[in-house]
Each structure stands twice: as structure tokens, then as C-alpha cells.
Amino acid sequence: MAAVQARAETYDSRIAEGRTFLAANQPERAAKSFRAAASLARENVEPLLLVAEAQRAAGNDAAAVLALKEAEAIAPGNDPAIQKQMVDLFLQQGHVEEAISTLVALRDNEQLSDKEILALARLQARNGDTQAAIKTLEVIQTQRPDDVEAKVVEAEILLIRGEELLAAKLMDRLIEENPGLIEAHLLRVRYFLNSGYPEVAEQDIATITGKDAKRPDVVLLRARILTKLERHEQAAEALTQLVEEHPDNSDALGMLAEAKLNLGKSSEAQELVSKVLRLHSNSPRALYVRGRVLESQGDKRGAEENYDFALTADPRFAPALSRRWRMQQEAGDKAAAVKTLERLYRLGEASLEEKVALAEMYAQNKTNSERGLKIVDELLKREPGNPKYVALKAALTPAPVKKKSSGPIILRGGRK
């Protein structure tokens, strides 16, 4: 009895030790502690799931997958905890389709929380399948039609579908009725930013105050706005403070590196990129900034490789997509540029300039006129009579088909 109790205490201490290491950003040591706990409780999947989490934090995806496979062997079947860890790994490795497929199976088996259902709907929409996203959203909206968090995702789906006015009305109503609904605020701020109104976006994000204003996602979005406004010193200042409070936030470190690069401090930018890549070897933000450094040095091939590495890590990473389509266009590869722009558009991350560029390419190539007209019609709703948009609409509008005569064909003249 005493031996069993001692073994249990040792197991608990190893788990606690591992969690302490993980909180201290020492994932390798955490993995060893969790592995030791696993050896003390061979029928328990919990320590193996923690091993996988620690290995993923260490950037060792292969070891994380191995730990999950061991857990599956102990708990055969579709254990939700294991499947959800696999989803995290799929997303980290850029395998979005596999992640969606796994989440859909969990959804159909009623094994997702409301938060996870909303995340799935958002993921499906950003992957270009808005119909599937709506179906997922119905799981919540059928039971609670006025669920405000689901309404925020609905607004994002509308934006991705190009129904900007409907989305804008929904966002405005949500914020008016729920001033503390931060996700709705952030969605509207991103909409203003992507639509070419950074000044309005800055005013809107300034309405987020108190502890919410210090949230990492809020600070990162504010830094994006300041960057768009070319106020790079202020962006760097905000990001520096965020990094001081969250030293292991790879997005904050990566954006700070970008801010330093924008200020002409290339060596500082590269140091920060190296730091991020030591923490997360496939950080899309760091890979993107490294690409920008190389591009600024005239190394276009190296830049392209790093942008592609970033997109392998996260196929939805908008900054890298924005750089790639421009490089593809400069290289004369118009077909690739169109595909990349379409990905940006489907993600709802295309800027005003990029929407116009996509519509122009459709007009030049005489392809996808229906989508091109949809883009231009939304632009004209915002700026009626804009001569550029009017001309673009005319170029995209198919010529009327002439009706063939249904009367008799009269042949004039005779044979020679």
C-alpha cells in the first residue's frame, strides 16, 4: 500500500514538475518530466498528451506525433483529447484540410465545445468554404439564434463572401448592442484596415480601453495599423512593451522585428528573427520578416523561399501572400499572381488595392467576370461613381449576345 502511494506521489510530482518547466518556457525539460510520469502510469493517456504538448512547444513535431500515437494505442478509437491535439499539430504544420476534416468528425459526434465550433466555422470560411462554415455555425444558431459570438463569426463569413455592406451593418449592430464584445470590435477594425481606412481603424481600436487594450491580439492589431500609417517608431514602442510583458510571444517578437526593419535597423531585425526561430522553427511571421530582409538586400530568390516557407507553415498567412503575388506579377507569372490574390480574397485579408488588382486581372484575362463584377459592385457601393471602378465594371461586363435571325435565309445572286 505504501509503495502504491509513493508511486502515485511520484507521478503527481513529475506532472507538477513538467507543468512548471512548461510555464517557464523549458519545453524539453517538461517533456522529460511528463515522459517519466508516463512510465509510472502506463495505462494513463494524460502524461502522453502532455508530452505531445511539450514537444510541440519545443518545435519537435515528430516527437509530438509519436507521443499521440502512443496515447492512441492506450485509448483506441477516436479519443477527443487526442484528436484535438492532432488538430493543433495539423494546423501548426500547415495541413489545414486535415485539421478541418478531423474537427468536422468531432463536430458530427458532438464532441466540440461552442468555442471550438466557432473556431471550425472560421477556419472553414478562411479556407474558402463559406457554405461549410455556415453549416457549422448552424449547430449553435439553431439552438441560440441570437448568440452574439456566433454573430461575430457570421459577420466574418459575410466579409469573406464579399458581402461587405451586410457584414458592416451586422458588426455595427453587434457593437452598439454589446459594447464590450471585443471580438466584434477587432473584426470591424480589421475590416477598416483592409478596406484602406487605417485612420478610421485607429479611431475604432482606441475605443477598446482598460485591460482589454493590453490584450496581445489588440496590441498586435494596433501595431499593424501604426505600420500602415508609417508610424514605425510608435509601432516598435507598443511592440517592445508587449514583448516585455510576454517575452515568449512569437507574433509580438516577429512584428517587432518587422518594425525594426521598417526603421532601417536590419541587424536588430535579424537578431529578433533568429530568436523567434530558436523558439519556433516554423514561425510564419519570423520567416516572412527574414524574407523581407533578404528582399531588401536584393536577394529575391532567398526572399521567395522564405515567403514560401512561411506559407508552408501557415497557408493563410496574409503578409507573405501579399508579397508573393507582387513578386509573381513582376516575374510575369500572371496566373500564379491571380491564384495568390484569390487566396487572399477568400481569406478576407485582401486590401482595397489587392481587390482592385484582382478585378483588373480578371478584366485583362477575360476570366471570372462574375467574381470580378461582385468585387467592383461592392466597391461602387462604397464609392458610387468612382470613374476607375465604373470603367472596370464596363470591362468586366460581358458584351450582349446578338440574337440570331429566325427568318428565312435569302441567297442573293446566282451561280457563276
Side-chain angles (χ1 to χ4, degrees), residues 97-164:
E97 296 289 351
E98 290 89 338
I100 289 174
S101 177
T102 304
L103 285 169
V104 167
L106 289 168
R107 179 202 67 191
D108 293 345
N109 289 324
E110 300 182 353
Q111 293 172 327
L112 293 181
S113 66
D114 283 357
K115 184 177 180 180
E116 290 165 338
I117 288 170
L118 295 178
L120 170 58
R122 186 176 284 113
L123 188 62
Q124 289 170 314
R126 292 178 180 179
N127 200 46
D129 195 346
T130 55
Q131 285 300 114
I134 290 169
K135 180 182 177 182
T136 295
L137 206 56
E138 286 173 353
V139 175
I140 293 175
Q141 292 188 319
T142 299
Q143 298 177 359
R144 299 187 303 282
D146 297 321
D147 186 289
V148 291
E149 293 182 352
K151 287 290 183 184
V152 174
V153 178
E154 181 184 344
E156 182 169 349
I157 293 171
L158 288 171
L159 282 176
I160 290 172
R161 291 174 66 169
E163 299 177 32
E164 294 186 2

Side-chain angles (χ1 to χ4, degrees), residues 1-141:
M1 187 71 178
V4 172
Q5 184 177 352
R7 189 180 183 87
E9 289 174 355
T10 302
Y11 170 85
D12 290 340
S13 67
R14 290 296 188 189
I15 292 291
E17 181 182 70
R19 292 188 188 279
T20 300
F21 284 138
L22 205 54
N25 194 33
Q26 300 180 50
E28 295 89 351
R29 298 181 71 178
K32 289 180 181 179
S33 296
F34 294 140
R35 177 60 71 180
S39 67
L40 294 168
R42 297 187 182 279
E43 301 303 315
N44 190 346
V45 299
E46 181 194 13
L48 290 170
L49 297 180
L50 290 169
V51 169
E53 181 182 345
Q55 294 289 11
R56 194 170 68 246
N60 193 342
D61 291 347
V65 170
L66 179 61
L68 290 174
K69 293 294 184 183
E70 291 180 61
E72 280 185 316
I74 295 171
N78 296 322
D79 184 287
I82 297 172
Q83 294 300 306
K84 289 174 185 179
Q85 284 243 36
M86 290 299 294
V87 166
D88 290 340
L89 277 171
F90 285 143
L91 291 175
Q92 189 168 321
Q93 295 169 351
H95 302 315
V96 179
E97 296 289 351
E98 290 89 338
I100 289 174
S101 177
T102 304
L103 285 169
V104 167
L106 289 168
R107 179 202 67 191
D108 293 345
N109 289 324
E110 300 182 353
Q111 293 172 327
L112 293 181
S113 66
D114 283 357
K115 184 177 180 180
E116 290 165 338
I117 288 170
L118 295 178
L120 170 58
R122 186 176 284 113
L123 188 62
Q124 289 170 314
R126 292 178 180 179
N127 200 46
D129 195 346
T130 55
Q131 285 300 114
I134 290 169
K135 180 182 177 182
T136 295
L137 206 56
E138 286 173 353
V139 175
I140 293 175
Q141 292 188 319

Side-chain angles (χ1 to χ4, degrees), residues 253-259 261 269-270 272-273 283-296 306-307 310 317:
L253 286 165
M255 285 192 69
L256 180 57
E258 187 174 4
L261 182 62
Q270 292 184 71
L272 285 165
V273 165
S283 163
R285 176 72 62 178
L287 292 165
Y288 160 74
V289 176
R290 189 166 68 182
R292 279 201 55 203
V293 170
L294 292 170
E295 191 174 1
S296 70
N306 278 275
Y307 295 146
F317 189 65

Side-chain angles (χ1 to χ4, degrees), residues 325 329 337-346 350-365 367-368 371-372 375-376 392 396:
W325 80 260
Q329 186 181 48
V338 168
K339 287 184 179 179
T340 304
L341 268 174
E342 286 175 334
R343 287 170 67 185
L344 263 175
Y345 178 72
R346 287 196 302 269
S351 66
L352 178 64
E353 173 204 355
E354 288 167 335
K355 289 175 184 176
V356 173
L358 181 57
E360 287 176 337
M361 289 182 188
Y362 285 153
Q364 291 165 7
N365 299 337
T367 57
N368 290 315
R371 182 185 292 158
I375 293 171
V376 174
L392 192 51
L396 286 162

Side-chain angles (χ1 to χ4, degrees), residues 274-330:
S274 297
K275 181 177 181 179
V276 177
L277 292 175
R278 283 195 297 271
L279 292 170
H280 303 285
S281 60
N282 59 350
S283 163
R285 176 72 62 178
L287 292 165
Y288 160 74
V289 176
R290 189 166 68 182
R292 279 201 55 203
V293 170
L294 292 170
E295 191 174 1
S296 70
Q297 295 171 346
D299 184 357
K300 288 192 174 183
R301 173 171 286 189
E304 287 176 4
E305 287 180 351
N306 278 275
Y307 295 146
D308 288 341
F309 290 152
L311 291 170
T312 298
D314 182 359
R316 299 162 295 141
F317 189 65
L321 289 169
S322 287
R323 288 306 309 148
R324 282 303 280 127
W325 80 260
R326 288 175 172 84
M327 296 181 83
Q328 288 161 345
Q329 186 181 48
E330 289 171 8

